[in-house]
Amino acid sequence: MNRLNKLFESKKDNLLSIYFTAGYPELNTTVAIAEALEKAGVDFLEIGFPYSDPVADGPTIQHSSERALENGMNLNQLFEELKDLRERVSIPVLLMGYFNPMLQYGIERFCKKAVEAGVDGVIVPDLPMYEYETLYSRYFIDNGLSNIFLVTPQTSQERVRRIDSLSNSFIYLLSSSSITGKNLQLSNAIEDYYKRIKAMQLKNPAIIGFGISSNETFKKACEYARGAIVGSAFVKFLEQDNYLERIPEFIKSIKN
Amino acid sequence: MKYGVNEQGYYGDFGGAYIPEMLYPNVEELRQQYAKVINDPDFKAEYDGLLRDYVGRPSPLYHAKRYSEKYGANLFFKREDLNHTGSHKINNAIGQILLAIRLGKKRIIAETGAGQHGVATATVCALKGIECVVYMGEVDMERQAPNVSRMKMLGAKVIPATSGSKTLKDATNEAMRDWINNPVDTHYIIGSVVGPYPYPDMVAQFQSVISFETRKQLLQKTGSELPQYVLACVGGGSNAMGMFYHFLDDQAVNLIAVEAAGQGVNSGHSAATTFLGREGVLHGSRTILMQTEDGQVVEPYSISAGLDYPGIGPQHAHLYKIKRAQYVSITDDEALQAGLLCSQLEGIIPAIETAHALAYLEKMTFKADDNVVICISGRGDKDLSTYIKYFNF
Ligand SMILES: Cc1ncc(COP(=O)(O)O)c(C=O)c1O
């Protein structure tokens, strides 16, 4: 059982995950930020590795990715920075990024390196299920790395079932079909969608992401899923000076 | 078809649909519907009718006599520049708008580089009374200003793409983001043979009318459907794929695809994808693209906005890899000189994109009875300010 499964066993609700882009606002801060987030009470982490063409991201994460690349972040640098991850951080850690940098690094090599660094899972928005299943899943499975799939309000029931069967930690429910950085807008249709997913009684827990930016949206999401992920709001927060010291403040504002 | 797409959306190692889940329902709907719709007699009748009466097809195959004299072979220009809106892009835009209507879509988005695809899309949206939003790189809006005004006059909203190199790649990113945000009632009219499956195949089919007509016209003019050489420029590769399509299975026909070398293949300012690129994934398909060792997409450069793209369509990547077509490159200077030559020898001012294909004639040697077809993908009105600046008219 990996760290993710253990977490979902031991804590039943209000799980909070934070996304940030490695290399933003500066290099060599990845583990320090992760450590501060764990101390502030975050349950698990998503560390983004930047890509030049992040089509699923809004302006905030586009900007952090661009800056991170300018700073010299790449997968070699990231794995270098993660060397002491597991000496300093014990909560589950996922990597999140686009497929091409992984492909160029080598998928098998990427999976090995990630697990060596103590990473528990990966979210790759533009790696489709068909290619994952037919070409790459064995590298993930052999190395014990979870692959997390996204589900949107438009994902068919049948496809949700298939995603559930291919998943072994959790399912990432998008609050709506949108790029990152929009504010969650609750409507009857969205509530129906959450209820529909809940009623399917999937084997994997669901976590809601995209558009979670405040205590209000976090609480709302936790009514329908085991927890929620805050991304753009935290990335924006990192713009200010002394962000490391102020992380507890930010997390408190979300968890309240 | 031997060089066509397989059921999973691949051409050999290239293609597929590398898209986020948010785009899956739209792309899957297209995948399930496009072949059915395109082959429906009702669709065909409307498509053919519009190509004939609205676009002005068939486009002429013109025997360019002074060019033939100069290069010592029989040179034919396939005149896509004479189409309504001035380029081959309209062939695809008409096809996709008819498809979008049959899928019940209420809003159209598109990306554009040179503005020709944007104008074509704005045109068909006006024709059908559908809302139209076009994304265009800020740099391209400046160098193709007349096309921005044309789109606005046609009632489209033009939104500048301000990220990255502010050109075609970035406009494509913005269009994809829009589609993610509007998953139900919007259709994305991609302008070239790029993007996730089924786009590369669908766009190729809509452009294949170019080579379909060419074969018949050649038979009439030369007594044979098959030329020795076919040339076309390649941005994403739609005019080239349309020009190659019905010749792919005829091995005797040499297919030549001309990429933009910008200031020179090794100058650091180039868009010559097959020379500078490696296999990777961009805009939803596995193809050849210009990228760093880390897999970050490199910002390309060409004086021609329509060729200023770091990738090529997956079918081109396949034809390149298996060597069914030859991929070559032409610099900015060579293209502009060819544009001038064509203007003064034939009285045709070509688009700078097209001028790349014409420029490659300088590097070829022919036998006197060779028949050669060059796809004149578009006219040069939109490029006048660039030509004027370069030649100091
Ligand atoms: C006249 C003309 N030719 C060629 C191109 C390149 O596109 P493609 O390679 O898809 O034909 C463009 C693109 O804008 C164009 O306007």
Side-chain angles (χ1 to χ4, degrees), chain B residues 87-89 113-117 191-193 233-240 306-307 351 353-354 377-379 382:
Chain B
S87 83
H88 67 293
K89 297 285 182 186
Q116 287 303 115
H117 175 58
S192 194
V193 285
C233 65
V234 179
S238 66
N239 87 90
L307 306 185
E353 289 80 12
T354 309
S377 58
R379 57 179 177 244
K382 68 186 179 62

Side-chain angles (χ1 to χ4, degrees), chain A residues 97-99 102 107 122-133 135-137 140 147-149 159, chain B residues 17-21 281 286:
Chain A
Y98 292 83
F99 186 59
M102 283 172 66
I107 304 298
V122 187
I123 305 170
V124 193
D126 60 343
L127 173 57
M129 217 171 5
Y130 170 78
E131 276 74 11
Y132 173 72
E133 264 190 288
L135 300 171
Y136 304 115
S137 60
F140 286 73
N147 183 31
I148 284 90
F149 293 95
R159 194 166 161 85
Chain B
Y18 291 78
I19 45 164
E21 184 63 26
V281 169
R286 198 169 179 131

Side-chain angles (χ1 to χ4, degrees), chain A residues 33-245:
Chain A
I33 293 173
E35 197 174 17
L37 286 168
E38 174 167 8
K39 287 211 174 96
V42 170
D43 297 299
F44 65 104
L45 301 173
E46 283 163 38
I47 300 177
F49 53 93
Y51 180 48
S52 53
D53 295 83
V55 291
D57 286 301
T60 302
I61 294 177
Q62 284 175 44
H63 174 72
S64 65
S65 304
E66 217 170 288
R67 281 283 302 282
L69 289 172
E70 283 163 19
N71 290 341
M73 179 49 70
N74 57 32
L75 285 171
N76 285 320
Q77 170 72 22
L78 178 60
F79 288 130
E80 197 54 42
E81 290 192 22
L82 292 180
K83 276 209 164 125
D84 61 347
L85 173 74
R86 285 304 169 202
E87 284 153 36
R88 295 164 64 184
V89 175
S90 58
I91 54 177
V93 170
L94 303 154
L95 296 184
M96 181 165 187
Y98 292 83
F99 186 59
N100 198 49
M102 283 172 66
L103 185 66
Q104 302 307 321
Y105 191 84
I107 304 298
E108 186 173 10
R109 179 169 168 235
F110 176 93
C111 291
K112 282 209 164 88
K113 275 280 187 183
V115 169
E116 251 173 58
V119 169
D120 304 288
V122 187
I123 305 170
V124 193
D126 60 343
L127 173 57
M129 217 171 5
Y130 170 78
E131 276 74 11
Y132 173 72
E133 264 190 288
T134 51
L135 300 171
Y136 304 115
S137 60
R138 63 198 156 114
Y139 303 126
F140 286 73
I141 292 163
D142 290 352
N143 287 289
L145 193 64
S146 290
N147 183 31
I148 284 90
F149 293 95
L150 310 182
V151 162
T152 84
Q154 280 75 38
T155 307
S156 70
Q157 200 105 332
E158 182 194 349
R159 194 166 161 85
V160 173
R161 288 269 176 231
R162 265 189 70 207
I163 287 173
D164 191 39
S165 74
L166 284 176
S167 302
N168 59 11
S169 53
F170 72 95
I171 289 173
Y172 195 134
L173 281 195
L174 262 58
S175 57
S176 66
S177 176
S178 81
I179 56 174
T180 57
K182 295 213 157 176
N183 275 331
L184 175 69
Q185 256 143 22
L186 221 56
S187 62
N188 290 342
I190 298 287
E191 287 201 46
D192 286 349
Y193 148 66
Y194 291 152
K195 284 180 191 157
R196 170 163 66 82
I197 298 289
K198 212 168 174 174
M200 287 179 75
Q201 302 196 336
L202 303 175
K203 75 176 168 84
N204 290 280
I207 300 287
I208 294 176
F210 284 39
I212 313 297
S213 59
S214 61
N215 174 252
E216 192 196 343
T217 43
F218 176 66
K219 278 205 311 222
K220 201 77 211 163
C222 288
E223 284 176 26
Y224 296 99
R226 295 282 294 278
I229 302 157
V230 176
S232 296
F234 182 70
V235 171
K236 218 175 257 165
F237 158 87
L238 290 175
E239 274 167 24
Q240 60 190 307
D241 294 337
N242 308 323
Y243 58 84
L244 272 183
E245 289 101 88

Side-chain angles (χ1 to χ4, degrees), chain B residues 15-204:
Chain B
Y18 291 78
I19 45 164
E21 184 63 26
M22 297 81 103
L23 291 180
Y24 181 83
N26 266 320
V27 170
E28 178 61 14
E29 180 185 28
L30 270 182
R31 192 182 69 80
Q32 289 186 5
Q33 299 295 331
Y34 87 107
K36 230 184 291 171
V37 173
I38 291 176
N39 292 314
D40 176 57
D42 200 52
F43 176 94
K44 271 194 163 147
E46 191 176 1
Y47 180 61
D48 292 346
L50 282 172
L51 287 188
R52 184 184 63 236
D53 302 334
Y54 188 72
V55 175
R57 301 204 74 93
S59 69
L61 185 73
Y62 163 66
H63 185 197
K65 300 224 173 50
R66 297 187 71 198
Y67 252 62
S68 297
E69 239 163 71
K70 178 170 168 57
Y71 290 108
N74 295 313
L75 268 57
F76 294 91
F77 289 179
K78 180 60 176 164
R79 299 291 308 275
E80 295 300 305
D81 60 316
L82 293 178
N83 292 343
H84 179 43
T85 73
S87 83
H88 67 293
K89 297 285 182 186
I90 192 82
N91 304 329
N92 169 48
I94 296 255
Q96 285 202 50
I97 196 79
L98 297 183
L99 178 67
I101 289 167
R102 280 159 176 77
L103 297 179
K105 303 295 176 178
K106 304 275 183 271
R107 177 174 174 270
I108 296 295
I109 56 171
E111 86 297 338
T112 195
Q116 287 303 115
H117 175 58
V119 167
T121 304
T123 298
V124 298
C125 286
L127 178 70
K128 291 294 180 182
I130 294 183
E131 182 189 348
C132 178
V133 175
V134 179
Y135 291 90
M136 187 170 189
E138 218 169 32
V139 168
D140 292 340
M141 286 179 74
E142 206 162 300
R143 58 179 164 172
Q144 309 278 235
N147 274 344
V148 177
S149 308
R150 286 170 82 196
M151 286 184 266
K152 288 184 179 161
M153 183 145 180
L154 290 160
K157 186 167 161 196
V158 184
I159 301 182
T162 57
S163 60
S165 55
K166 305 177 176 54
T167 61
L168 182 54
K169 160 177 94 79
D170 312 287
T172 308
N173 289 341
E174 287 305 326
M176 289 192 146
R177 290 182 184 121
D178 181 311
W179 210 22
I180 287 173
N181 287 335
N182 296 284
V184 179
D185 64 346
T186 297
H187 175 70
Y188 177 16
I189 301 191
I190 293 185
S192 194
V193 285
V194 301
Y197 177 67
Y199 278 101
D201 183 52
M202 183 167 77
V203 177

